[in-house]
Amino acid sequence: MTEARAIEGCRHNDRISQKYLFDKWSEGMLMVCMRYVKHLPDAEELMLAGFFSFFKSIDRFIYTNEAGMAAWLKKIMVNECLMHLRKKGALKIVELENAEELSTDESGLAKISAGELFKLVMTLPEGYRTVFNLYVVEGYSHKDISALLGISEGTSKSQLSKARVQLQSLLNQKENYYEK
């Protein structure tokens, strides 16, 4: 079955087509959700809600290619995660005046794997982690982040700065550990 054919099937509530798309995309979309929430059961629930939203709004989706499909699903998953974090009241936002200056030393990055970096990012407070993921991983601008989260651009920048400072501190701790 092709994706285009599966999309058509989904428009007619065909369960086999829905399962095909879910099976193909669920693992990657779960990883998107895991970047925003720490606990696997929460991420799984958000991913399922995202797929439900996708199937519910399938008539508005125009399939052009696989990359378009990935972008559409990813956007839905990110929005599900942001709604979840807002409902929980988990986004603690630090105003720009309270942001620390960021050092540019990136030597710790050369000694750490992607998996270790992911684990470090997951230790960030949810507000920092959310802005970090939106900006660094998803490629949103501070203007877009401010609109998504209902904060000022300056606050988005401060959250990113705080996240980077905290990550750099964690990287320095790891680097000192490796040197021992």
Side-chain angles (χ1 to χ4, degrees):
M1 178 180 298
T2 66
E3 278 192 350
R5 189 169 177 179
I7 297 290
E8 269 314 302
C10 289
R11 287 193 171 103
H12 301 290
N13 291 320
D14 177 48
R15 301 289 181 221
I16 293 171
S17 297
Q18 291 172 339
K19 183 176 179 347
Y20 171 81
L21 291 176
F22 180 83
D23 289 346
K24 180 171 183 172
W25 292 99
S26 61
E27 188 176 320
M29 295 303 116
L30 179 61
M31 292 310 300
V32 170
C33 294
M34 283 295 298
R35 288 197 302 259
Y36 292 91
V37 296
K38 287 185 179 183
H39 303 290
L40 181 61
D42 290 340
E44 289 171 335
E45 186 176 323
L46 291 167
M47 179 204 51
L48 291 172
F51 272 101
F52 180 76
S53 293
F54 172 70
F55 293 135
K56 199 166 95 176
S57 65
I58 196 82
D59 288 334
R60 291 182 286 172
F61 177 70
I62 299 168
Y63 182 81
T64 53
N65 57 31
E66 195 169 297
M69 174 87 174
W72 182 271
L73 275 171
K74 193 174 184 183
K75 184 174 183 177
I76 290 171
M77 297 301 160
V78 168
N79 285 333
E80 287 292 330
C81 292
L82 294 179
M83 285 189 302
H84 170 77
L85 293 172
R86 273 191 218 105
K87 283 180 194 172
K88 269 182 48 179
L91 290 173
K92 293 180 178 84
I93 306 296
V94 176
E95 293 300 322
L96 181 61
E97 306 82 61
N98 299 325
E100 296 177 26
E101 286 300 314
L102 178 64
S103 165
T104 57
D105 177 28
E106 297 179 2
S107 61
L109 284 176
K111 298 176 183 166
I112 190 166
S113 71
E116 288 175 307
L117 184 58
F118 176 77
K119 287 178 186 175
L120 292 178
V121 169
M122 293 308 292
T123 67
L124 295 173
E126 286 185 355
Y128 296 0
R129 185 174 67 244
T130 300
V131 172
F132 181 85
N133 280 322
L134 288 170
Y135 186 83
V136 175
V137 180
E138 310 296 347
Y140 283 86
S141 68
H142 286 295
K143 183 178 180 179
D144 293 337
I145 294 169
S146 70
L148 279 170
L149 301 180
I151 59 176
S152 71
E153 285 183 53
T155 300
S156 175
K157 291 175 184 178
S158 75
Q159 291 287 282
L160 179 62
S161 174
K162 287 280 198 179
R164 286 180 168 167
V165 166
Q166 195 165 345
L167 279 174
Q168 191 159 30
S169 172
L170 292 168
L171 282 170
N172 289 340
Q173 290 172 11
K174 280 243 181 241
E175 190 174 326
N176 290 338
Y177 173 77
Y178 288 140
E179 289 175 356
K180 290 181 181 177

